[in-house]
């Protein structure tokens, strides 16, 4: 019933993908309805109305904070990649868009997985002159595509450390540069992006990537890994409760995954089968509190934990969705409200 109502609303808001003219979106269109539609999309793909959904997202400034727009970015990337024959038509139908949101188009094309994504990006480049640096970076390979982003940074080996000791000037001031390298361990929004791609395609490839993060839910090294790993475990369990196909896929992976993954994956499947998500959430909170109290295995520095506030971990859109909001039609956390952080959000669920 809700899906039918949404499609009816979209016909009023915008003509289908093949239309020559795209009307303005009704400013009163509900973001929550679009989120519900995205969540159910993989079961009933409605490719013709993807531009309508995206225009609602642009109109509601859902991309204002890129760290909290991962699910929408992933969905658009998946939609572009799912239909190569109509990919260019879909992308061009999104224009014009606010200049501050053009980065979404660039990144979605790069993340789409299309074999010919570079040529598509070149074709739309004239429409986005303000994003030339970003476009050139993707075309040159200095910015990675979604499948090229590593799980975590490669740690230097013993020889590299020794080489640094003998080649660096011990009296020179350390030049601390801003780290722009993306990893799944250091960017929580990438987890959201993978889920968005899954919603658009129903493919288990992004899910398999999420499964690889599960060992971090047992991490005693860094707060980033523990948080991302815990979110991976919780989102897998939460969505598997409602998605029979996903639940069976996770069960099938138990036989082929290594021991480090099999343990937390077993917990995911059991929590989904018995609908005991609260246990997963409580375990994650307890693990974070223990890590904060005892310090990490590699760095027992209490000053370090003093820098980690409860709100320091950004809460992505899909993170809120996994806690039941999208599934029940409640608007996801967007804009400035996202700054409340993952741990704070979980704590409120316990009250």
């Amino acid at each position: 019933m809700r899906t039918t109502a949404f499609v009816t609303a979209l016909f009023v808001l915008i003509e289908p993908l093949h239309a020559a003219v795209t009307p303005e979106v009704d400013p009163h269109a509900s973001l929550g309805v679009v989120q519900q539609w995205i969540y159910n999309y993989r079961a009933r793909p409605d490719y013709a109305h993807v531009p309508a959904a995206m225009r609602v997202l642009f109109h509601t400034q859902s991309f204002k904070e890129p760290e909290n727009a991962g699910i929408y970015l992933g969905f658009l990337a998946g939609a572009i990649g799912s239909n190569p024959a109509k990919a260019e038509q879909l992308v061009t139908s999104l224009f014009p868009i606010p200049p501050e949101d053009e980065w979404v188009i660039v990144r979605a094309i790069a993340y789409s997985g299309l074999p010919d994504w570079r040529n598509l990006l070149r074709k739309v480049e004239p429409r986005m002159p303000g994003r030339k640096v970003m476009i050139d970076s993707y075309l040159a390979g200095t910015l990675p595509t979604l499948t090229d982003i590593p799980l975590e940074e490669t740690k230097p080996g013993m020889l590299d450390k020794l080489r640094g000791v003998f080649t660096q000037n011990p009296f020179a001031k350390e030049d601390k540069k801003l780290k722009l390298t993306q990893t799944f361990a250091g960017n929580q929004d990438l987890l959201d992006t993978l889920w968005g791609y899954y919603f658009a395609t129903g493919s288990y490839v992004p899910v398999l990537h999420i499964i690889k993060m599960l060992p971090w839910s047992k991490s005693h090294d860094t707060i980033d890994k523990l948080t991302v790993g815990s979110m991976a475990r919780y989102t897998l369990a939460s969505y598997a409760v409602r998605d029979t196909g996903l639940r069976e896929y996770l069960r099938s992976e138990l036989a082929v995954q290594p021991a480090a993954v099999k343990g937390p994956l077993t917990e995911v499947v059991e929590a989904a089968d018995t609908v005991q998500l609260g246990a997963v959430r409580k375990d994650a909170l307890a693990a974070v509190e223990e890590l904060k109290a005892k310090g990490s295995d590699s760095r027992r520095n209490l000053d370090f934990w003093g820098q980690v506030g409860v709100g320091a971990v950004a809460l992505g859109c899909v993170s809120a969705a996994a806690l039941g909001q999208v599934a029940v039609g409640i608007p996801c956390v967007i804009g400035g409200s996202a700054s409340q952080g993952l741990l704070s959000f979980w704590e409120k669920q316990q009250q």
Side-chain angles (χ1 to χ4, degrees), residues 42-337:
R42 64 197 182 282
R44 299 184 63 181
D46 184 14
Y47 195 79
H49 288 93
V50 171
M54 294 305 301
R55 286 195 174 278
V56 172
L57 295 177
F58 288 131
H59 183 80
T60 53
Q61 297 186 332
S62 299
F63 298 101
K64 182 179 180 180
E65 297 182 18
E67 297 85 356
N68 301 316
I71 187 172
Y72 305 136
L73 169 64
F75 180 81
L76 179 57
I80 294 171
S82 67
N83 197 333
K86 294 184 177 180
E88 183 177 352
Q89 188 180 4
L90 170 59
V91 172
T92 55
S93 71
L94 301 176
F95 290 95
I97 63 173
E100 61 271 20
D101 290 336
E102 290 175 347
W103 68 270
V104 179
I105 306 298
V106 177
R107 186 158 291 168
I109 293 173
Y111 282 6
S112 67
L114 285 174
D116 201 29
W117 67 268
R118 286 185 175 84
N119 279 337
L120 177 56
L121 193 53
R122 291 188 183 100
K123 288 180 179 179
V124 298
E125 182 177 7
R127 292 176 174 262
M128 301 178 288
R131 292 298 172 185
K132 177 174 174 53
V133 173
M134 186 179 185
I135 293 173
D136 289 346
S137 296
Y138 274 116
L139 294 177
T142 54
L143 280 179
T145 61
L146 188 60
T147 54
D148 290 333
I149 297 173
L151 283 176
E152 57 185 309
E153 288 186 75
T154 303
K155 295 182 179 179
M158 181 59 67
L159 290 178
D160 293 324
K161 291 180 180 178
L162 289 174
R163 188 179 298 112
V165 170
F166 292 111
T167 57
Q168 292 179 356
N169 181 355
F171 301 103
K173 291 184 178 180
E174 184 180 357
D175 183 16
K176 292 184 178 181
K177 295 182 179 179
L178 181 65
K179 289 186 177 181
L180 295 177
T181 304
Q182 285 185 306
T183 65
F184 281 92
N187 298 81
Q188 291 88 359
D189 58 300
L190 290 175
L191 173 63
D192 299 1
T193 303
L194 291 173
W195 277 119
Y197 201 101
Y198 169 69
F199 292 154
T201 63
S203 168
Y204 292 128
V205 173
V207 175
L208 186 59
H209 212 71
I210 295 171
I211 289 175
K212 293 179 181 178
M213 304 176 198
L214 286 176
W216 296 343
S217 65
K218 309 296 183 180
S219 173
H220 297 286
D221 188 22
T222 70
I223 192 71
D224 283 343
K225 280 188 178 181
L226 179 58
T227 301
V228 174
S230 296
M231 247 355 283
R233 185 175 59 160
Y234 192 89
T235 52
L236 284 167
S238 181
Y239 287 129
V241 165
R242 309 175 182 90
D243 188 333
T244 303
L246 175 60
R247 192 161 64 248
E248 292 307 312
Y249 172 74
L250 297 178
R251 197 188 315 280
S252 70
E253 284 295 311
L254 286 172
V256 298
Q257 290 296 328
V261 174
K262 188 173 181 179
L265 182 57
T266 299
E267 296 171 349
V268 166
V269 174
E270 290 179 352
D273 282 338
T274 59
V275 196
Q276 296 192 66
L277 301 179
V280 179
R281 183 168 55 233
K282 289 178 181 178
D283 181 70
L285 281 171
V288 171
E289 288 304 317
E290 180 181 1
L291 189 58
K292 289 170 67 178
K294 296 182 179 180
S296 65
D297 289 345
S298 61
R299 183 178 180 179
R300 298 185 180 278
N301 184 348
L302 295 181
D303 291 337
F304 170 72
W305 295 112
Q307 300 170 14
V308 183
V310 171
V313 182
L315 174 63
C317 181
V318 77
S319 305
L323 297 175
Q325 296 201 31
V326 164
V328 297
I330 300 175
C332 173
V333 176
I334 59 171
S337 60

